Amino acid sequence: MLYARLITMRLMKAIVVLFLIIIFNFFLIHMAPGDPAAILAGEAGATDKEFLRQLRERFGLDQPIYVQLWHYVSGIATLDFGYSYRQQMPVLDLILQRLPATLLLTGTAFVLSLALGILAGSLAAARVKKVSGSLIMALALLFYATPLFWVALMAVVLFSVYLDWLPAYGMYTVGAGLEGFALVLDVAKHLILPATTLALFFMAIYTRITRASMLEASQQDYVKTARAKGLKDRVIQRRHILRNALLPIITLAGLQAGQMVGGAILTETVFAWPGIGRLMYEALMQRDYNLLLGIFFFSAALVIVFNIVTDLVYRLADPRIKEAS
């Protein structure tokens, strides 16, 4: 009952937040420089004013801004996100085609970064005064400070060009005609480089947070009591220190799960991964307003969903937390 009430309250707030985001994104896109009709006309080699007028009328750009906003908001209420005239497809169909690839990439990178970050942070906390602990933190700092695009390019050069171990681009081998388990293995092979590249930055953050949280938890009275009882150090690290140190990590992971979707733009562009991040970049370059607004909507919705899930997980991890009145 408590969780049902919590979810209901979060969903009501989410609807209001999402509506405000829709309004803000709409005006933000329309304030950006560039005329989609002029760009289409230029690509078609036509500069006639009558042709431009026909294009603006066709796209609804000749209408007042409040009329365009009303049509857009009322369309979203019926899951009609408009039509992408650059891609010649409805926006919703186009996003749903690309969304699974992005969720696969970001989901894999999220699990990888969280698991390795917690493991590395735990090892660094257990070896705080040893060379191995300092080495782990130095590597975490290196991954955190290195630009993502440079890591991606160097990974392509090393593992694809020089060693020829992994494919550099795409989600699967085009024209191979693979099916079943062979297709799964092919996608997994293509996923290694982009997922690892995206995970390194976030893994470094989780490593530093885990180490700091565990060192703080190790000074608490319940840990001293456990040591006084003669419990083994491994048991204390796992059951008492790490369990309590996970709470700030859960909060940070929930926030960064949504950021990964936005952070995937660069990774998808470098590795030609067919997700919504790359689609957003293409829509931005082509001034495809309807498609950009649709991607912004789905990105915001995913962030809100991740935040709601984080609230639930946080309460499951720490039963002491009660719903605020």
Side-chain angles (χ1 to χ4, degrees), residues 133-146 200 203-204 207:
S134 300
L135 180 60
I136 291 174
M137 296 310 299
L139 289 175
L141 180 60
L142 177 64
F143 292 144
Y144 179 78
T146 305
L200 284 177
M203 182 192 71
T207 299

Side-chain angles (χ1 to χ4, degrees), residues 6-312:
L6 173 65
I7 294 175
T8 302
M9 291 178 60
R10 291 293 185 271
L11 287 177
M12 292 175 62
K13 294 178 181 178
I15 292 174
V16 177
V17 171
L18 200 56
F19 177 76
L20 295 176
I21 290 175
I22 290 172
I23 303 298
F24 176 77
N25 286 337
F26 179 86
F27 284 106
L28 182 66
I29 287 295
H30 282 74
M31 287 189 298
D35 185 354
I39 294 176
L40 285 175
E43 292 179 353
T47 58
D48 183 64
K49 292 185 179 180
E50 180 62 22
F51 183 68
L52 284 175
R53 187 193 64 78
Q54 292 176 359
L55 284 177
R56 291 192 179 97
E57 183 179 355
R58 181 184 178 187
F59 298 155
L61 298 175
D62 61 329
Q63 298 177 348
I65 190 68
Y66 64 87
V67 176
Q68 297 182 45
L69 176 61
W70 168 252
H71 288 325
Y72 177 67
V73 174
S74 59
I76 288 181
T78 59
L79 295 180
D80 180 10
F81 293 88
Y83 191 83
S84 172
Y85 293 95
R86 303 304 301 263
Q87 304 288 343
Q88 296 297 310
M89 285 183 62
V91 170
L92 182 60
D93 294 345
L94 192 57
I95 292 177
L96 292 181
Q97 282 184 3
R98 300 289 191 97
L99 187 59
T102 293
L103 293 179
L104 175 62
L105 173 61
T106 55
T108 304
F110 177 75
V111 173
L112 187 64
S113 63
L114 190 60
L116 294 180
I118 293 176
L119 177 60
S122 301
L123 293 175
R127 295 165 172 78
V128 65
K129 295 182 179 180
K130 298 180 180 179
V131 176
S132 57
S134 300
L135 180 60
I136 291 174
M137 296 310 299
L139 289 175
L141 180 60
L142 177 64
F143 292 144
Y144 179 78
T146 305
L148 183 61
F149 73 90
W150 188 87
V151 175
L153 293 176
M154 292 302 103
V156 170
V157 171
L158 177 61
F159 295 104
S160 298
V161 178
Y162 183 71
L163 298 175
D164 196 22
W165 287 354
L166 298 169
Y169 307 108
M171 185 177 176
Y172 51 85
T173 303
V174 179
L178 300 176
E179 296 180 356
F181 188 66
L183 178 60
V184 173
L185 289 178
D186 187 56
V187 172
K189 191 175 181 180
H190 283 77
L191 182 63
I192 293 175
L193 281 184
T196 304
T197 301
L198 183 60
L200 284 177
F201 173 80
F202 295 96
M203 182 192 71
I205 297 177
Y206 296 140
T207 299
R208 296 168 64 86
I209 294 297
T210 301
R211 177 182 179 273
S213 298
M214 290 188 66
L215 290 178
E216 181 181 357
S218 65
Q219 303 300 319
Q220 301 301 316
D221 291 338
Y222 57 82
V223 176
K224 297 178 181 178
T225 303
R227 288 198 176 102
K229 290 181 179 180
L231 293 178
K232 294 182 179 180
D233 189 61
R234 283 183 298 175
V235 176
I236 296 175
Q237 289 283 340
R238 185 177 67 254
R239 293 185 180 179
H240 298 279
I241 298 179
L242 180 59
R243 184 175 181 180
N244 288 278
L246 285 177
L247 297 178
I249 300 172
I250 292 174
T251 303
L252 183 63
L255 295 174
Q256 292 188 336
Q259 293 178 5
M260 272 193 173
V261 178
I265 297 176
L266 184 59
T267 306
E268 291 181 0
T269 302
V270 173
F271 291 100
W273 189 264
I276 62 173
R278 185 182 174 195
L279 184 65
M280 182 188 301
Y281 175 77
E282 295 172 353
L284 180 62
M285 294 295 100
Q286 297 170 350
R287 301 295 192 275
D288 195 339
Y289 287 170
N290 287 340
L291 182 54
L292 270 177
L293 288 171
I295 294 174
F296 288 163
F297 174 85
F298 273 85
S299 299
L302 286 175
V303 171
I304 291 174
V305 170
F306 290 145
N307 286 335
I308 294 176
V309 173
T310 301
D311 284 342
L312 297 177

